[in-house]
C-alpha cells in the first residue's frame, strides 16, 4: 500500500489525510446545512429521503449512521420509525451541531453520539442491524477498511447502505456539471462560508471517488453480498447496498 493518498487532486501522506479532512469540516460546520442547500439547489434533501427509505430501519432495529455530520439522515430515520440510532463522526464540530439540532427538534430520545473514526468503529462484532453512510466514504483515507468495519458490526441479515456522489451517466450534462462543481461551488463557499478552498476540495474529492461499478467491487471484496446500486439524478449520486449474510 502506498504511503500517499488523495486529498482532492493533491497527493498527501496517508497519515495526514484525516487531519486535513477534519480541518475542512471544522471550517464548514457552522454553515454546512445552508451550503448543502445552495450547492445542490436543495436536491440533497430528496436524495437523503430516498436513501432513508432504502434503509427502512424499523423500531426493532439499531441503525449506525457513519459520518453522521449534522444529523440529517439520522433525524429522517427516526421520523420514519427507526429504533435506536447511533450517530458517529470523526469530527466533533459537526457532531456538536447535530446534537444542538436534535435537542431543538425534540429528537434526542433514542439517539446517541459517538466521535470516532469509521475505519475503527468502537462497537462489538454483529451488534447492529443497519449501517448507513451519506456523503462520507469519499473523505475516508482507507475506504476498504471502512467497508470491512461496517460488515463487522452488522448482524447476519443486516445491510450496509452508502449514499455517495458517483459518475454522471448523462454526457450532455458533463460540461455544465463541471462548471458548477469547479467554478460555482468554490465561489458560493467564498461568499457564504468565507471558505473557497474547502469547497474546492469537496468538488475534487467527488471526481476522485470510485465509480458505481468499482464501489460494488469494493463491497464484494469486503465480504458483503447481494451488492447493488441505484443511480439518482442521472448518476450524480448513487445508493449502494450490501448485505451481511
Amino acid at each position: 500500500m502506498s504511503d500517499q493518498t488523495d486529498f482532492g487532486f493533491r497527493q498527501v501522506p496517508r497519515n495526514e489525510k484525516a487531519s486535513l479532512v477534519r480541518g475542512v469540516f471544522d471550517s464548514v460546520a457552522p454553515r454546512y446545512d445552508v451550503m448543502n442547500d445552495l450547492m445542490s439547489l436543495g436536491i440533497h434533501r430528496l436524495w437523503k429521503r430516498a436513501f432513508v427509505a432504502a434503509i427502512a430501519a424499523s423500531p426493532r432495529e439499531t441503525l449506525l449512521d457513519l459520518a453522521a455530520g449534522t444529523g440529517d439522515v439520522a433525524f429522517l430515520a427516526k421520523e420514519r420509525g427507526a429504533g435506536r440510532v447511533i450517530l458517529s463522526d470523526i469530527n466533533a464540530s459537526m457532531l456538536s451541531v447535530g446534537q444542538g439540532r436534535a435537542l431543538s427538534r425534540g429528537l434526542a430520545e433514542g439517539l446517541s453520539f459517538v466521535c470516532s473514526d469509521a475505519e475503527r468503529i468502537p462497537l462489538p462484532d454483529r451488534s447492529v442491524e443497519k449501517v448507513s453512510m451519506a456523503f462520507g466514504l469519499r473523505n475516508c483515507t482507507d475506504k476498504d477498511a471502512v467497508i470491512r468495519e461496517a460488515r463487522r458490526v452488522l448482524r447476519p441479515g443486516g445491510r450496509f447502505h452508502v449514499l455517495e456522489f458517483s459518475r454522471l451517466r448523462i454526457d450532455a450534462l458533463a460540461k455544465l456539471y463541471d462548471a458548477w462543481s469547479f467554478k460555482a461551488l468554490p465561489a458560493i463557499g467564498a461568499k457564504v462560508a468565507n471558505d473557497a478552498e474547502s469547497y474546492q476540495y469537496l468538488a475534487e474529492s467527488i471526481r476522485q471517488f470510485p465509480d458505481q461499478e468499482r464501489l460494488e467491487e469494493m463491497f464484494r471484496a469486503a465480504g458483503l453480498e447481494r451488492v447493488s446500486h441505484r443511480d439518482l439524478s442521472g448518476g450524480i449520486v448513487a445508493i449502494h447496498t450490501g448485505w451481511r449474510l
Side-chain angles (χ1 to χ4, degrees):
M1 181 181 294
S2 170
D3 62 356
Q4 298 281 306
T5 190
D6 61 279
F7 179 72
F9 290 160
R10 287 193 289 139
Q11 290 291 299
V12 299
R14 292 183 67 86
N15 61 2
E16 293 182 10
K17 179 171 179 175
S19 63
L20 290 169
V21 170
R22 190 177 300 114
V24 167
F25 286 94
D26 279 341
S27 174
V28 304
R31 304 292 288 170
Y32 184 72
D33 297 305
V34 172
M35 282 298 300
N36 275 347
D37 281 328
L38 293 172
M39 288 191 302
S40 71
L41 305 177
I43 298 172
H44 77 101
R45 296 178 182 271
L46 300 178
W47 295 334
K48 288 171 182 172
R49 289 191 189 107
F51 185 52
V52 171
I55 296 167
S58 77
R60 301 182 304 277
E61 294 178 324
T62 296
L63 168 66
L64 168 64
D65 187 32
L66 299 173
T70 59
D72 279 357
V73 168
F75 301 158
L76 282 171
K78 283 296 292 182
E79 290 167 0
R80 283 179 169 265
R84 182 185 176 207
V85 181
I86 304 168
L87 292 81
S88 172
D89 200 292
I90 196 171
N91 190 279
S93 299
M94 297 287 283
L95 279 182
S96 179
V97 173
Q99 286 175 307
R101 292 181 71 203
L103 290 170
S104 68
R105 296 172 62 171
L107 291 173
E109 184 176 355
L111 299 180
S112 56
F113 295 81
V114 179
C115 188
S116 65
D117 189 338
E119 296 175 21
R120 293 175 291 277
I121 300 171
L123 292 177
D125 295 356
R126 305 185 179 197
S127 57
V128 301
E129 286 78 20
K130 302 282 175 66
V131 179
S132 60
M133 194 172 200
F135 303 122
L137 186 56
R138 75 181 187 281
N139 295 311
C140 296
T141 304
D142 190 341
K143 298 169 182 61
D144 294 303
V146 173
I147 300 168
R148 290 193 300 269
E149 277 289 271
R151 183 189 181 279
R152 179 185 67 77
V153 301
L154 280 170
R155 292 192 173 114
R159 300 198 304 271
F160 181 37
H161 301 269
V162 168
L163 173 64
E164 191 53 89
F165 287 101
S166 200
R167 290 295 181 272
L168 180 67
R169 305 289 199 179
I170 304 171
D171 292 340
L173 295 179
K175 288 185 178 179
L176 178 62
Y177 184 48
D178 283 346
W180 180 258
S181 299
F182 294 111
K183 294 182 180 179
L185 295 192
I188 294 170
K191 187 169 185 178
V192 177
N194 195 30
D195 186 352
E197 186 175 348
S198 290
Y199 289 94
Q200 179 73 26
Y201 158 73
L202 292 174
E204 292 175 1
S205 71
I206 292 168
R207 297 309 193 277
Q208 295 291 92
F209 191 69
D211 64 16
Q212 291 91 326
E213 289 73 26
R214 174 60 186 139
L215 188 55
E216 285 193 345
E217 292 173 5
M218 292 165 68
F219 270 41
R220 294 188 184 97
L224 293 167
E225 301 180 59
R226 295 185 187 174
V227 173
S228 64
H229 80 270
R230 174 160 63 100
D231 287 339
L232 302 177
S233 299
I236 291 176
V237 302
I239 297 172
H240 285 260
T241 301
W243 295 66
R244 175 171 185 168
L245 299 178

